[in-house]
Amino acid sequence: MSTENEGAATTSAAGPQTESPATGVPETPRSDAGSSAPADTPAADTPAAGSSAAPAAPPAPAVPDAPAAPPASSASAASSAAPPVPPAGAPASPGAHEAAASAGAPGATAQQPAVSPEAAGAPTGAWYNAAGAPLPYGPPPGGPAGPGGPGAPWGMPAQPPRRKGVGGLLAAVVAAALVAGGIGGGIGYWAATHNDNGSTTISAAADPKVQSRTPGSVADIASKALPSVVTIEAQSNSGDGGTGTGFVYDKQGHILTNNHVVASAADGGKLSVTFSNGKQYDAEVIGRAQGYDVAVIKLKNPSGATLNPLPLGDSDKAAVGDATVAIGAPFGLSGTVTTGIVSAKNRPVASSDGGGGGASSYMSALQTDASINPGNSGGPLLNSQGAVIGINSAIQSAGNGGGLGGGQGQSGSIGLGFAIPINQAKNVAEQLIKTGQPVYPVIEATVNMKDSGGGAKIASSGSNGDPAVTPGGPADKAGLKPGDVITRLDDTKIDSGPTLISEIWTHQPGTKVTVTYVRDGKQATTQVTLGERRGDK
C-alpha cells in the first residue's frame, strides 16, 4: 500500500519525511465518494335430478336394528320417496354423507328393506347413490369422474362394481382432494361475501413490537440519528470535488467530518450541507487537521435548521464484537444505514486520498465490518445505544488497488472499514473550534517509515539535513539516539513507524509515556514526556 509520509514521520518525530511507510501497516484509501455522481372448484354440471324420470340408484347399505319393510315396487317409487334435490351449487350440509350412508333418505320409513351392498351389486363400503338415500346436496364430490363412478353426475346409470386395487385408492385420494378443494372454495366464498370492499385479500395483523421499534433496534437507532447526519458537497474553485458525510456536533451549527471530505473547498471553494429532510445550507471550514483527518465546518446561517447533536460515546470502552451502525452517503446515496460489529481495536492505519498526492493521516483505528464505501467518510459509527464511537474514515480495498478520491478507480467495501475513535476526534474538534489549528503530541525524532515488523527505527538523519533527534526535544531528553529501534510504547507493541505515530497521537502533549527500545542488540526503557506541535505546516 502506498502511504504518504505527510510529515507524520517527523510528527511522531516532528516534521515531514519523504520516505514511504512500512508495508506492515495498511495504507488504506479513504472512503469519500468522488462521484457527484420491479382449486377453484369447477362449475358444477346442471344435475339431471329435475327430469321426469330419474334412473335407479344403487341400494343403500343395511341399517342395523331397522325393522324389515316390503321392497319398493319400482325404481320410480324409490325416486318418488326421495326429497326434492336442492339447486346445483348449494353447499352440502355437514354430516349429509354420514346420514345418507347410515339411515337412508330423510323421511324414509321402516317399510324399506335392509339390502346389503353385495346383493345390490354395489362395491363393498360404497355409499354414493345408495338405494333410498338422497344424493348429497350440491354436486357430487369432485364432479364428473366417468359414467357411473363415485363422482358421476346425477341421473347417470351405475356401473358394475370395479375391481379393487390401486385404481380404487387413487379415486378415493382424488375425491378427498377435490372435496378439500370444495371446502376451501366455500371458505373463499364466505370471505368474499363478508368483506365490505369485496376483496378476498387478507392482511396480516399489525405487530406491536414492529410498530414500536424496540429501543436499541437498528431501526430505532437509525430513526433517531438520521436527522442529525448530513451529506456534504465540496467543490473547489476549479470545479473539482466530491461527496462526503458529517454529523451535528453542537447546537451552534458545527458539523464534524473528515479533513479529506472538505479539503478541496478549504481555500475559497464551496461547501453545502444537506439534512435528511432535504433542507440545504451553505457552510464554511472552521478548522481542519490533516494528520488526524478531522475537520469542523459550520453552517453559515443555521436559522431554521434542526440541530440535534448526536450523543458521543466512549470509544475506549468499545469492545471487539460490539454491534455497530454506520450512516453515510455511499456513492452519493444519502441516509444509507449499514450494520456490523467492532472487528478490532487500536488498528494502526495510515491513509491518504489514494492518488499519491494527498497528505497522509495516521490513526489507531476502530475496525468494523459495517459496509463503508466512498461517500461514507466523515459519517458516524454508532454503538448499540446510538452513541457515536468513531468517524468513518478509510477502507481497505481488495488488492489495495485504486483510490477513493474520484474517477473510475473508486473501490467498494470488502468488510474492512476504519474509524477514528471519537475520544481522539473530540479532542481535535475542540482544538479546531477554539483556535482553528490542531495540536499534535510529538517526541521530535524522525523515524524510518520503510521498515516494519521489528519496530520503529530512528533515522540516521532528519529531513532537509536536520538532525534525526531534535536537540533538547523530548526524545533527546529521554536519551534516545539515531539507530535506536522503538519496540513498545507503554503496553502497545510497535512494529513500524506509522504504528508509532498512530499510538503517540492518541495521547495529549505533556503526557509521560514509557518507551521500550533496542540499541546494539540490547533492550532498554526510558520515560518520554511528549511535546507538542501546532498546525499542519
Side-chain angles (χ1 to χ4, degrees), residues 19 78 89 116 127 135 284 296 310 315 400 412 482 496 511 519:
E19 297 176 22
S116 67
W127 50 268
L135 292 169
E284 59 184 345
V296 176
L310 289 182
S315 53
N400 193 38
S496 65
T511 304
R519 180 186 296 167

Side-chain angles (χ1 to χ4, degrees), residues 397-424:
S397 58
N400 193 38
L404 297 178
Q408 308 206 348
Q410 294 184 343
S411 303
S413 173
I414 59 171
L416 293 173
F418 304 98
I420 303 166
I422 195 60
N423 289 5
Q424 179 182 18

Side-chain angles (χ1 to χ4, degrees), residues 83-283:
V85 178
S93 301
H97 297 310
E98 289 92 350
S102 61
T109 65
Q111 283 77 21
Q112 290 176 316
V115 182
S116 67
E118 290 85 351
T124 303
W127 50 268
Y128 294 99
N129 297 330
L135 292 169
Y137 290 151
W154 294 338
M156 291 189 69
Q159 290 293 322
R162 291 187 179 183
R163 187 178 53 147
K164 296 180 181 179
V166 177
L169 176 60
L170 178 60
V173 172
V174 172
L178 291 176
V179 168
I183 293 174
I187 294 174
Y189 172 80
W190 183 90
T193 56
H194 287 73
N195 195 316
D196 291 340
N197 59 15
S199 171
T200 58
T201 301
I202 300 175
S203 299
D207 186 346
K209 292 183 179 179
V210 172
Q211 289 183 336
S212 65
R213 300 302 181 210
T214 306
S217 67
V218 175
D220 176 60
I221 293 171
S223 65
K224 293 176 180 177
L226 279 168
S228 299
V229 179
V230 300
T231 299
I232 300 173
E233 294 284 345
Q235 190 176 52
S236 68
N237 289 324
S238 62
D240 296 331
T243 303
T245 307
F247 59 92
V248 177
Y249 183 72
D250 58 28
K251 289 186 174 295
Q252 286 69 50
H254 290 109
I255 306 292
L256 195 55
T257 186
N258 283 140
N259 171 66
H260 72 266
V261 170
V262 302
S264 61
D267 298 321
K270 182 180 179 181
L271 276 179
S272 64
V273 170
T274 305
F275 284 77
S276 61
N277 59 8
K279 292 186 177 180
Q280 191 175 66
Y281 300 85
D282 290 333

Side-chain angles (χ1 to χ4, degrees), residues 218 324-328 330 336-340 369-373 376 381 392:
V218 175
T324 59
V325 177
I327 304 180
T336 297
V337 178
T338 55
T339 63
D369 65 344
S371 183
I372 297 174
N373 286 289
N376 275 102
L381 183 68
N392 300 318

Side-chain angles (χ1 to χ4, degrees), residues 441-443 474 477-478 489-491 503-504 506-515 526-531:
V442 294
I443 63 172
K477 291 179 180 179
L489 187 75
D490 289 333
D491 295 329
E503 189 60 29
I504 288 175
T506 63
H507 296 77
Q508 292 296 313
T511 304
K512 285 187 177 181
V513 295
T514 300
V515 173
T526 185
Q527 294 288 318
V528 177
T529 301
L530 299 176

